[in-house]
Amino acid sequence: MILNNNKNEFEISINGVSVIKHSSENPFIFIGKGEANYDMYRGNFKITDYLEERIPLKNFEVTKNEKNHFEINLFDHHQLKLTLIGKQKEGKTKIYFSSEDKFDNRIWIRIVAEEDEKIYGCGEQLSYFNLRGKNFPLWTSEPGVGRNKNTYTTWQADVKDKAGGDYYNTNYPEPTYISTRKYYCHLESTAYLDFDFRNKKFHELQCWNIPEFILFETGKTFLDIQEKLTANFGRQPKLPEWVYDGLILGLQGGTEVVLDKLNKALDAGIKVSGVWCQDWQGKRITSFGKRLNWNWKWSPEEYPNLDVEIKKLKERGIKFLGYINPYVIEGYDLYEEAKANGYLATKLDGSDYTVDFGEFYCGVVDFTNPKACEWYKNVIKTNLIDFGLDGWMADFGEYLPTDCKLSNGLSAEVMHNAWPAMWAKINYEAVKEAGKLEEIVYFMRAGFTGTQKYCTLIWAGDQSVDFSLDDGLASVIPAALSVGMTGNGLSHSDIGGYTSLHGNKRNRELLLRWAEMAAFTPVMRTHEGNRPDDNYQHDGDIGAMKFFARITDIYTSLKPYMKTLVEENTKYGIPVQRPIFFHYENDLRSYDIKYQYLLGEDLLVAPVHQEYMEKWNVYLPEDNWVHLWTGEEYTGGDYEVSARLGYPPVFYKKNSKWKSLFQEIGAK
Amino acid sequence: MILNNNKNEFEISINGVSVIKHSSENPFIFIGKGEANYDMYRGNFKITDYLEERIPLKNFEVTKNEKNHFEINLFDHHQLKLTLIGKQKEGKTKIYFSSEDKFDNRIWIRIVAEEDEKIYGCGEQLSYFNLRGKNFPLWTSEPGVGRNKNTYTTWQADVKDKAGGDYYNTNYPEPTYISTRKYYCHLESTAYLDFDFRNKKFHELQCWNIPEFILFETGKTFLDIQEKLTANFGRQPKLPEWVYDGLILGLQGGTEVVLDKLNKALDAGIKVSGVWCQDWQGKRITSFGKRLNWNWKWSPEEYPNLDVEIKKLKERGIKFLGYINPYVIEGYDLYEEAKANGYLATKLDGSDYTVDFGEFYCGVVDFTNPKACEWYKNVIKTNLIDFGLDGWMADFGEYLPTDCKLSNGLSAEVMHNAWPAMWAKINYEAVKEAGKLEEIVYFMRAGFTGTQKYCTLIWAGDQSVDFSLDDGLASVIPAALSVGMTGNGLSHSDIGGYTSLHGNKRNRELLLRWAEMAAFTPVMRTHEGNRPDDNYQHDGDIGAMKFFARITDIYTSLKPYMKTLVEENTKYGIPVQRPIFFHYENDLRSYDIKYQYLLGEDLLVAPVHQEYMEKWNVYLPEDNWVHLWTGEEYTGGDYEVSARLGYPPVFYKKNSKWKSLFQEIGAK
């Protein structure tokens, strides 16, 4: 870290990478005041800001400039507004902010940019992978249905439910990015943020409070940066061994139905590692579809005899997974217990606050209250782990209303984004305290800074059951890549998608295309969707069953390879699904490829994400590649390859040490 | 005008109305810098601003404070940023602005507001009449198709043509409003503006350059304010006498077709004052529908023998009206002549600039060039007036691209809003110089400050052919009221609407409901629409013809009454169609009524603007009213009255001196 300055300007550079340049003509910080309005409807937010002031801090004085340490005062004219303290430690440069004006609640920080620079990360981004050219509001929320204002689905969702979403809406935003200028940057704040990568000369990071610090760390390669980034945020534990042994089959409907469907799947040759029953605690019917009853414990009515059957299943090598989220439904015992103990967020006047989740209302467990956390951890330990669950969907985390009162006294506007990682931490600690890390897997869609360390597996959220780029099959590819570059190298998605609304129904082709892609991701798991009867399912016909049998055979055959990748992720934070440029940094074209990925260093996967395709266009970086299914050899370039159902375009490196495994799989 | 100040604050009030309050805690002016992006597609603009600075000017010094004159310097800390010079003359208070920083291009001015205050005007507003609670970007543009993001029509228009529009889009915006605190306010600038009436304590007027001045004038009553406002901006001339003698029948298709349709209409008993043939200069077919050939002179091919027939028509008491707009089509003689003489706006590098009007391209006559104005006035005088036209649609004015080069050297960003009034002035001067004021009528949809004086008749633009509130029949009512309160008391609309797109087709009921409303406006004129074959027309069936015969009989019977109203408008600026509160200031409910109006002081009109109605709910202010068709008497209150087709809810004052006329009409 070097601070160079004269009377009129200063520059901060880190290992030769200039990150901040300031002069009175081009100040790097603006500070101001705004009045936000947050309008939440079922997890969809309309956020507007009345901006009252935005003032450039032109004048400065460097009050200290030592090795690995500096202090700068920034002024509006002669009025001290902000003090920056820069510290370098273990290769990380942190610049701490302290504000001198208690009314300032907006800040804009400009980071040096170059015209051809590209940007990745910012959590899970579903529409863009390279983020340059757009701005990205960072606020955990429902990602939207359709996510593209030009689609009829989005328009319908907007008009009927305010739920259409846009390119930037995501369950998992994070103020952390990686630049092709070979550094990562993180802004430490949980307030509303907007990272704007539209300007040629600077990135502008907007934050709705004064952040604690901004962090920079450079690296020689992307692998190096990735390792450093994950060293900073923490890394995911390994996946349990059993995960690789087959599909996690998403089923519903009670013990009898589930066992029957499981047996039929096994009979058809489908490799199943576990059944995932989100309705294990009972369900309710709403106009959206079948919904769950949010009182987190086994429902003997819905799942008679499950306490016995769960053990029998384990003996057969089949795990049982359930479901939980951080809300408790009004009128049931968990809600009553939490309310009696003051474990729920309240209205500002202290009265009860329940949140509308779509025709039912729930209390929000107040994770800023350590006692509430302990209580909820115990719910997980007792009702989930002790009951025998081997995993669960740890759903939601995005719905903290901004107008509730929290135990720690902080504004819910500032805690809203913090919630998903707090929710992850509760799951993590419950599992860890039960001694079950790397045995149990829970998967989450919501995230924020801190999720990396506490979430065992990301799931890409609720896609529409279609082939749309912004909300369908394709969208989970940039999602995995961006969330991976944010430090979450283990992710997966609902095979077949989830959301059937406004006439959208999952067809057979979508389900099978999604399944064949999922075989080349860390985890395979199906979801029946919000309206199971409207959606094609794995057992829709005997051909589909056979398809799943073969595809799960391929997935399980990858186990030795996949395990090494997952270990790499746990050890170095290198994601299992990687952008091509992670291993081909000189291939300039690869930096804009968002619908292909490397599965480890040795496999390149180009999922078919459109309908009716017999062939598919792929781009290969310069190397010697072998097409998995035909054995045909390729070097770098553009190719049209065969891509019939069940044979997605996958290539392995000719000199891979896993060659014989891949050849064996290719023959399946 | 009084300026009261001490060291820490000042207040400006006018005849007891406080308009500006300033203190360092609550400064009334913010100044800053922004970088705008204007994206125009066929008259629809997407305008975004990257706001770099917004600085409160907290410090001030009063350097002069005399009777009718003051000077105030405003500072950012100790840096002088703005000087205000206040002058009072003839009851008007003008505060002039001069900026001390050449880079400042954004200003926000806060005007004192009260919580229950209401605001009207801002040009022609089609979705809202009372503007409180919303912000209104003021930028002349296409108003949009649908104008409501929740309608399918709007969504289709947005997706296909970027043309859906929103509540604030209008052909005629103006930075002039009237407050219920009994003053009017005008900001003198033609840059992009946004008047924000959302805040309880202040109105915030945003302007994208430093305006010349802000003007306030108070009045005892709304009639008084209206008279003062129109004294300031100028008033419309009287309508020609012939206008009141019947319908202006919008026809197309050539001499033979037009004469045939005219004769049939007359035979059916329809009173016709003129035929309006927008295709008199020839036409072209595009995917939008039939469009006109923009080379402004009689087309003998399209209208053979018109030079003779136009005289014969005059002898029969039928006027002939045509069409013109401020653009000239590429490849024809007017374009070539204008180009050769340097009369067209160019690209910034001086090369040719043609604008896309939807499958054809035109040059923009540069009205900042006095020679170009003279030339275009001569086109009007020679090709239109000398040819014998008695009126025309003076269309468009909203399409000045922001990236063209103009003769006066000013930025097209600043001239864009000025264009409609410049276009009006050219028409006005051509007609005046020909000695034909109050004989010829031209009607315009685009407007801005200055239109009042130079435009003989407003037309409400291109409504959709439906009953939608934001873009259908209903929308022309608030349009007439708001444009009236901006000083244009003569307005009318296309009977039946204009735009058939995305499946919208004009049905019989819409046409007839629109016609029966139009009978109670200053001018009746039909339009075949953009796709005449898809739209129901006045001659669609014999019943419709009879309907038009009766309705035009009613309209022409109103002539003596209507003439006095038009004279009042010319003399005092009191609009022909008036909000109810103009004559019932104590009736608080009337301030939020936007779909009823007074036609003069003696008639109250409540047009039926929904389909399938046999009855209609009306609100009457406290008075003695007589229902026009039944003679039933009412006092103030809410009533459901009969409203079958042809009998729109109209009431006259029982003690009106026009009572016998109204009784006669009511019997028709």
Side-chain angles (χ1 to χ4, degrees):
Chain A
M1 176 183 83
I2 293 172
L3 170 67
N4 270 318
N5 72 288
N6 58 35
K7 256 176 65 180
N8 301 315
E9 51 193 46
F10 67 81
E11 179 173 9
I12 298 168
S13 54
I14 300 160
N15 299 324
V17 180
S18 169
V19 290
I20 286 168
K21 272 187 185 168
H22 173 90
S23 67
S24 61
E25 294 74 38
N26 290 298
F28 93 106
I29 281 196
F30 297 75
I31 202 160
K33 301 180 194 14
E35 204 181 313
N37 185 54
Y38 304 85
D39 179 14
M40 176 170 93
Y41 181 73
R42 296 181 182 172
N44 300 286
F45 287 82
K46 191 181 165 193
I47 299 174
T48 53
D49 191 26
Y50 170 68
L51 181 62
E52 183 156 346
E53 290 184 13
R54 181 181 150 122
I55 293 168
L57 300 186
K58 294 182 178 176
N59 301 331
F60 72 95
E61 56 178 16
V62 174
T63 57
K64 261 190 206 167
N65 190 357
E66 299 162 5
K67 191 171 183 300
N68 300 338
H69 183 58
F70 65 73
E71 279 185 37
I72 303 173
N73 287 324
L74 291 168
F75 300 84
D76 171 22
H77 298 267
H78 297 291
Q79 188 183 336
L80 180 60
K81 295 287 271 183
L82 206 64
T83 299
L84 311 181
I85 298 178
K87 291 183 184 173
Q88 188 164 30
K89 206 174 151 186
E90 295 161 2
K92 293 179 210 177
T93 300
K94 283 187 184 178
I95 303 170
Y96 291 84
F97 299 86
S98 61
S99 167
E100 312 291 331
D101 178 332
K102 65 180 174 169
F103 297 109
D104 287 326
N105 61 2
R106 299 285 181 272
I107 191 169
W108 298 261
I109 304 162
R110 289 182 175 178
I111 308 300
V112 173
E114 288 173 5
E115 198 164 339
D116 59 355
E117 179 184 354
K118 295 170 200 293
I119 296 291
Y120 304 92
C122 283
E124 182 178 74
Q125 295 293 339
L126 297 126
S127 290
Y128 293 93
F129 177 42
N130 170 16
L131 307 180
R132 203 73 194 282
K134 288 272 174 187
N135 66 310
F136 292 84
L138 301 172
W139 183 257
T140 181
S141 74
E142 287 284 356
V145 177
R147 307 183 68 258
N148 180 328
K149 298 304 182 199
N150 286 333
T151 67
Y152 184 69
T153 297
T154 305
W155 179 70
Q156 285 274 294
D158 274 338
V159 169
K160 294 183 180 166
D161 308 311
K162 304 181 182 181
D166 212 332
Y167 70 90
Y168 55 82
N169 289 112
T170 175
N171 303 110
Y172 182 173
E174 187 176 318
T176 309
Y177 68 82
I178 293 180
S179 161
T180 50
R181 294 178 64 229
K182 298 283 173 71
Y183 71 90
Y184 79 86
C185 169
H186 169 72
L187 193 64
E188 183 65 16
S189 168
T190 59
Y192 179 92
L193 300 124
D194 188 335
F195 279 20
D196 186 347
F197 301 113
R198 286 176 293 190
N199 199 293
K200 286 178 186 170
K201 296 192 174 161
F202 54 81
H203 312 308
E204 191 168 278
L205 317 184
Q206 182 181 169
C207 183
W208 287 10
N209 69 357
I210 305 301
E212 192 186 341
F213 60 81
I214 190 166
L215 161 63
F216 297 98
E217 194 167 7
T218 63
K220 289 204 176 68
T221 63
F222 288 104
L223 295 175
D224 182 26
I225 294 169
Q226 187 75 23
E227 195 176 337
K228 288 172 173 168
L229 183 152
T230 53
N232 181 68
F233 291 108
R235 296 179 185 131
Q236 292 165 299
K238 281 188 285 184
L239 290 169
E241 281 279 327
W242 59 263
V243 162
Y244 309 109
D245 294 334
L247 173 69
I248 299 172
L249 195 54
L251 297 173
Q252 296 183 80
T255 314
E256 200 176 330
V257 172
V258 167
L259 289 178
D260 182 53
K261 288 191 178 178
L262 168 66
N263 291 331
K264 283 185 177 145
L266 293 169
D267 290 348
I270 300 175
K271 303 212 167 161
V272 179
S273 62
V275 290
W276 166 56
C277 300
Q278 59 165 9
D279 60 343
W280 75 292
Q281 79 293 304
K283 67 186 173 210
R284 49 201 303 121
I285 304 296
T286 73
S287 65
F288 181 79
K290 291 178 185 165
R291 297 290 296 265
L292 312 175
N293 199 38
W294 296 8
N295 190 51
W296 312 115
K297 58 183 172 190
W298 168 45
S299 162
E301 295 75 31
E302 190 80 17
Y303 279 84
N305 222 26
L306 182 60
D307 52 340
V308 177
E309 292 298 338
I310 203 166
K311 289 178 187 123
K312 289 193 196 164
L313 282 170
K314 265 192 232 280
E315 282 161 21
R316 295 166 67 191
I318 307 287
K319 307 295 181 183
F320 190 93
L321 293 81
Y323 175 100
I324 190 172
N325 70 41
Y327 316 105
V328 286
I329 192 163
E330 220 178 10
Y332 287 79
D333 57 348
L334 287 180
Y335 176 87
E336 296 303 337
E337 189 182 343
K339 189 180 148 185
N341 286 293
Y343 294 162
L344 299 177
T346 65
K347 289 193 177 157
L348 294 178
D349 65 5
S351 64
D352 294 352
Y353 196 145
T354 57
V355 174
D356 173 11
F357 282 91
E359 301 167 37
F360 62 96
Y361 292 82
C362 296
V364 177
V365 181
D366 183 354
F367 294 151
T368 72
N369 177 349
K371 285 184 184 166
C373 292
E374 284 307 309
W375 172 73
Y376 218 53
K377 270 161 43 177
N378 271 323
V379 169
I380 292 174
K381 284 192 251 184
T382 310
N383 295 2
L384 278 63
I385 300 175
D386 290 352
F387 181 71
L389 297 193
D390 295 292
W392 51 85
M393 177 182 276
D395 202 6
F396 286 95
E398 315 86 349
Y399 281 55
L400 185 73
T402 52
D403 57 350
C404 67
K405 189 176 169 185
L406 298 171
S407 162
N408 68 352
L410 289 179
S411 156
E413 290 183 26
V414 168
M415 293 309 295
H416 172 89
N417 270 340
W419 223 251
M422 297 170 92
W423 172 220
K425 188 164 181 255
I426 281 168
N427 283 272
Y428 181 87
E429 289 179 356
V431 172
K432 193 176 178 193
E433 287 164 19
K436 298 271 193 181
L437 276 183
E438 306 194 348
E439 288 178 38
I440 277 173
V441 67
Y442 51 90
F443 41 101
M444 305 183 66
R445 62 178 201 184
F448 199 73
T449 310
T451 288
Q452 295 92 340
K453 186 175 175 180
Y454 295 120
C455 173
T456 55
L457 176 64
I458 298 291
W459 126 75
D462 301 343
Q463 279 69 51
S464 281
V465 292
D466 61 29
F467 285 94
S468 67
L469 288 180
D470 294 285
D471 193 34
L473 189 159
S475 69
V476 304
I477 308 169
L481 296 177
S482 54
V483 86
M485 286 184 75
T486 312
N488 306 270
L490 304 175
S491 72
H492 79 308
S493 62
D494 294 338
I495 292 175
Y498 171 75
T499 307
S500 285
L501 283 176
H502 317 304
N504 251 354
K505 294 179 184 188
R506 180 203 289 164
N507 65 26
R508 185 179 192 272
E509 185 180 355
L510 181 75
L511 180 70
L512 303 190
R513 283 297 189 194
W514 212 308
E516 72 182 31
M517 172 174 67
F520 297 92
T521 68
V523 175
M524 286 188 83
R525 179 182 51 81
T526 54
H527 198 311
E528 293 186 343
N530 64 312
R531 290 179 176 166
D533 300 340
D534 285 351
N535 285 327
Y536 212 87
Q537 304 295 351
H538 74 281
D539 56 359
D541 65 287
I542 185 68
M545 302 273 272
K546 283 188 179 165
F547 187 97
F548 270 89
R550 177 174 161 272
I551 280 295
T552 52
D553 184 34
I554 289 164
Y555 168 73
T556 54
S557 302
L558 278 167
K559 178 171 180 173
Y561 181 64
M562 201 74 85
K563 274 184 64 177
T564 65
L565 303 184
V566 170
E567 275 158 24
E568 268 185 74
N569 181 63
T570 299
K571 225 163 161 180
Y572 309 111
I574 311 301
V576 174
Q577 292 170 264
R578 303 167 193 172
I580 292 170
F581 61 81
F582 261 38
H583 293 294
Y584 297 90
E585 297 206 354
N586 295 325
D587 185 325
L588 293 183
R589 247 192 75 192
S590 71
Y591 286 80
D592 282 310
I593 290 182
K594 65 174 169 176
Y595 295 126
Q596 296 185 184
Y597 60 92
L598 294 173
L599 183 68
E601 193 170 350
D602 293 6
L603 285 180
L604 185 147
V605 186
V608 175
H609 58 73
Q610 289 173 27
E611 236 168 342
Y612 316 127
M613 291 288 147
E614 285 288 315
K615 293 167 181 275
W616 193 247
N617 292 314
V618 299
Y619 172 72
L620 301 176
E622 196 50 53
D623 210 326
N624 293 305
W625 296 100
V626 183
H627 184 244
L628 185 63
W629 313 110
T630 62
E632 276 170 30
E633 298 191 8
Y634 293 86
T635 54
D638 289 289
Y639 301 98
E640 187 185 62
V641 298
S642 69
R644 64 193 174 95
L645 211 55
Y647 299 86
V650 177
F651 301 81
Y652 63 84
K653 282 170 77 170
K654 195 180 170 186
N655 64 358
S656 169
K657 64 174 179 175
W658 299 91
K659 187 171 182 175
S660 64
L661 176 70
F662 298 148
Q663 281 174 331
E664 185 192 311
I665 291 170
K668 284 181 191 280
Chain B
M1 175 183 81
I2 293 172
L3 170 67
N4 270 319
N5 70 288
N6 59 34
K7 256 177 64 182
N8 301 314
E9 51 193 47
F10 67 81
E11 179 173 10
I12 298 168
S13 54
I14 300 160
N15 298 325
V17 180
S18 169
V19 291
I20 286 168
K21 271 188 186 169
H22 173 91
S23 67
S24 61
E25 294 74 39
N26 289 298
F28 92 106
I29 281 194
F30 297 75
I31 202 161
K33 302 179 195 10
E35 203 180 313
N37 185 54
Y38 303 85
D39 179 14
M40 175 170 93
Y41 181 72
R42 297 180 181 173
N44 300 287
F45 287 81
K46 191 181 165 194
I47 299 174
T48 53
D49 192 26
Y50 170 68
L51 181 62
E52 185 157 345
E53 291 183 13
R54 180 181 151 121
I55 292 169
L57 300 186
K58 294 182 178 178
N59 301 329
F60 72 94
E61 56 177 17
V62 174
T63 57
K64 262 188 203 166
N65 191 357
E66 298 162 3
K67 191 170 182 302
N68 300 338
H69 183 60
F70 64 73
E71 279 185 35
I72 303 173
N73 287 325
L74 292 168
F75 300 85
D76 173 20
H77 297 266
H78 297 291
Q79 188 184 337
L80 180 60
K81 295 288 271 184
L82 206 65
T83 299
L84 311 181
I85 297 177
K87 292 182 183 172
Q88 187 164 30
K89 205 175 151 185
E90 294 161 1
K92 293 178 209 178
T93 300
K94 283 188 183 178
I95 302 170
Y96 291 84
F97 299 85
S98 62
S99 166
E100 311 291 331
D101 178 333
K102 65 180 176 170
F103 297 108
D104 286 328
N105 62 3
R106 299 285 180 273
I107 191 169
W108 298 260
I109 305 162
R110 289 182 176 177
I111 309 301
V112 173
E114 287 173 6
E115 199 164 337
D116 60 355
E117 179 184 355
K118 296 170 199 292
I119 296 292
Y120 305 92
C122 283
E124 182 178 75
Q125 296 293 340
L126 297 125
S127 289
Y128 293 93
F129 176 44
N130 170 16
L131 307 181
R132 203 72 194 282
K134 288 273 174 187
N135 67 309
F136 292 84
L138 300 173
W139 183 257
T140 181
S141 74
E142 287 284 357
V145 177
R147 307 183 67 259
N148 181 328
K149 299 304 182 199
N150 286 332
T151 67
Y152 184 69
T153 298
T154 305
W155 179 70
Q156 285 273 294
D158 274 338
V159 169
K160 294 184 179 166
D161 307 310
K162 305 180 181 181
D166 213 332
Y167 70 90
Y168 55 82
N169 289 111
T170 174
N171 303 111
Y172 182 172
E174 186 175 317
T176 309
Y177 68 82
I178 293 181
S179 161
T180 50
R181 294 178 65 229
K182 298 283 173 71
Y183 70 90
Y184 78 86
C185 170
H186 169 73
L187 193 63
E188 184 64 17
S189 167
T190 59
Y192 179 92
L193 299 124
D194 189 336
F195 279 20
D196 186 346
F197 302 113
R198 287 176 293 190
N199 200 295
K200 286 177 186 171
K201 296 192 173 164
F202 53 81
H203 312 308
E204 190 167 280
L205 316 184
Q206 181 181 170
C207 183
W208 286 11
N209 68 358
I210 304 302
E212 194 187 338
F213 60 81
I214 190 167
L215 160 63
F216 297 98
E217 194 168 8
T218 63
K220 288 202 178 68
T221 64
F222 287 106
L223 295 175
D224 182 27
I225 294 168
Q226 187 75 23
E227 194 176 339
K228 288 172 174 168
L229 184 152
T230 52
N232 181 67
F233 291 110
R235 297 180 184 130
Q236 292 165 299
K238 282 188 286 186
L239 290 169
E241 280 279 329
W242 58 263
V243 162
Y244 308 108
D245 293 334
L247 173 69
I248 298 172
L249 194 55
L251 296 173
Q252 295 182 82
T255 314
E256 201 177 330
V257 172
V258 167
L259 289 177
D260 182 53
K261 289 191 177 178
L262 168 65
N263 291 331
K264 283 184 177 146
L266 293 169
D267 289 350
I270 301 175
K271 303 214 167 159
V272 179
S273 62
V275 289
W276 165 56
C277 300
Q278 58 166 8
D279 60 343
W280 74 293
Q281 78 294 303
K283 68 184 173 215
R284 49 201 302 120
I285 303 297
T286 72
S287 65
F288 181 78
K290 291 178 185 168
R291 297 291 296 266
L292 312 175
N293 199 38
W294 296 8
N295 191 52
W296 312 114
K297 58 183 172 188
W298 168 44
S299 162
E301 296 74 32
E302 191 80 17
Y303 279 84
N305 222 25
L306 181 61
D307 51 341
V308 178
E309 292 297 339
I310 204 167
K311 289 178 187 122
K312 289 192 195 162
L313 282 170
K314 264 191 230 283
E315 283 159 19
R316 295 166 68 191
I318 307 288
K319 307 294 179 182
F320 190 93
L321 293 82
Y323 176 99
I324 189 172
N325 71 41
Y327 315 105
V328 286
I329 191 163
E330 219 178 11
Y332 288 79
D333 57 348
L334 287 179
Y335 176 87
E336 295 304 337
E337 190 183 343
K339 190 180 147 185
N341 286 294
Y343 295 162
L344 299 177
T346 66
K347 289 193 177 158
L348 294 178
D349 66 4
S351 63
D352 294 352
Y353 196 146
T354 56
V355 175
D356 173 12
F357 281 92
E359 301 166 38
F360 62 94
Y361 291 82
C362 296
V364 177
V365 180
D366 183 355
F367 295 150
T368 72
N369 178 348
K371 284 183 184 166
C373 292
E374 285 306 309
W375 172 72
Y376 217 54
K377 270 160 44 177
N378 271 324
V379 169
I380 293 175
K381 285 192 248 184
T382 310
N383 296 1
L384 276 62
I385 300 175
D386 289 352
F387 181 71
L389 297 193
D390 295 292
W392 51 85
M393 176 181 278
D395 203 4
F396 287 95
E398 314 86 348
Y399 281 55
L400 185 73
T402 53
D403 58 349
C404 68
K405 189 177 168 183
L406 298 172
S407 162
N408 69 352
L410 289 180
S411 155
E413 289 182 28
V414 168
M415 293 308 296
H416 172 89
N417 271 339
W419 223 251
M422 297 171 91
W423 172 220
K425 187 165 183 255
I426 281 169
N427 283 272
Y428 182 85
E429 289 179 355
V431 172
K432 192 177 180 191
E433 288 164 20
K436 298 271 192 182
L437 276 184
E438 305 193 350
E439 290 178 37
I440 277 173
V441 66
Y442 52 89
F443 42 100
M444 304 182 66
R445 63 178 200 184
F448 199 73
T449 309
T451 289
Q452 295 92 340
K453 185 174 176 180
Y454 295 121
C455 173
T456 54
L457 176 64
I458 299 291
W459 126 76
D462 301 343
Q463 279 69 50
S464 281
V465 290
D466 60 29
F467 285 94
S468 66
L469 287 181
D470 293 285
D471 193 35
L473 189 160
S475 69
V476 306
I477 308 170
L481 295 178
S482 55
V483 85
M485 285 185 76
T486 311
N488 306 271
L490 304 176
S491 71
H492 79 309
S493 63
D494 294 338
I495 292 175
Y498 170 76
T499 306
S500 285
L501 283 176
H502 317 302
N504 250 354
K505 295 179 183 188
R506 180 204 288 165
N507 65 26
R508 186 179 191 272
E509 185 180 356
L510 181 74
L511 180 70
L512 302 190
R513 282 296 190 195
W514 212 307
E516 71 182 29
M517 172 174 67
F520 296 93
T521 67
V523 175
M524 286 189 83
R525 179 181 52 79
T526 54
H527 197 312
E528 293 187 341
N530 64 312
R531 290 178 175 164
D533 300 341
D534 284 351
N535 285 327
Y536 212 89
Q537 305 295 351
H538 74 280
D539 56 359
D541 66 284
I542 186 67
M545 302 272 273
K546 282 188 178 163
F547 187 98
F548 269 90
R550 177 174 162 271
I551 279 295
T552 52
D553 183 34
I554 289 165
Y555 168 74
T556 55
S557 303
L558 278 168
K559 179 171 181 173
Y561 180 64
M562 199 75 84
K563 273 184 65 177
T564 64
L565 303 184
V566 172
E567 274 159 24
E568 266 184 73
N569 181 64
T570 299
K571 226 164 161 179
Y572 308 111
I574 310 302
V576 174
Q577 291 171 266
R578 303 167 193 172
I580 292 170
F581 61 82
F582 261 38
H583 294 293
Y584 298 89
E585 296 206 357
N586 295 326
D587 185 326
L588 292 182
R589 246 191 78 192
S590 72
Y591 287 80
D592 283 310
I593 290 182
K594 64 174 169 176
Y595 296 126
Q596 296 185 183
Y597 59 92
L598 294 174
L599 183 69
E601 194 171 349
D602 293 6
L603 284 179
L604 186 148
V605 186
V608 175
H609 59 72
Q610 288 174 27
E611 235 167 344
Y612 315 127
M613 291 289 147
E614 285 287 315
K615 292 169 182 274
W616 194 247
N617 293 315
V618 299
Y619 172 72
L620 301 175
E622 195 51 54
D623 210 328
N624 293 308
W625 296 101
V626 183
H627 184 244
L628 184 62
W629 313 110
T630 62
E632 275 169 32
E633 297 191 10
Y634 293 86
T635 54
D638 288 289
Y639 300 98
E640 187 185 62
V641 298
S642 69
R644 64 193 172 95
L645 210 55
Y647 300 86
V650 177
F651 301 82
Y652 62 83
K653 282 170 75 170
K654 195 180 168 186
N655 64 357
S656 169
K657 63 175 180 175
W658 298 92
K659 188 171 181 172
S660 64
L661 176 71
F662 298 147
Q663 281 174 330
E664 185 191 311
I665 291 169
K668 286 183 190 278

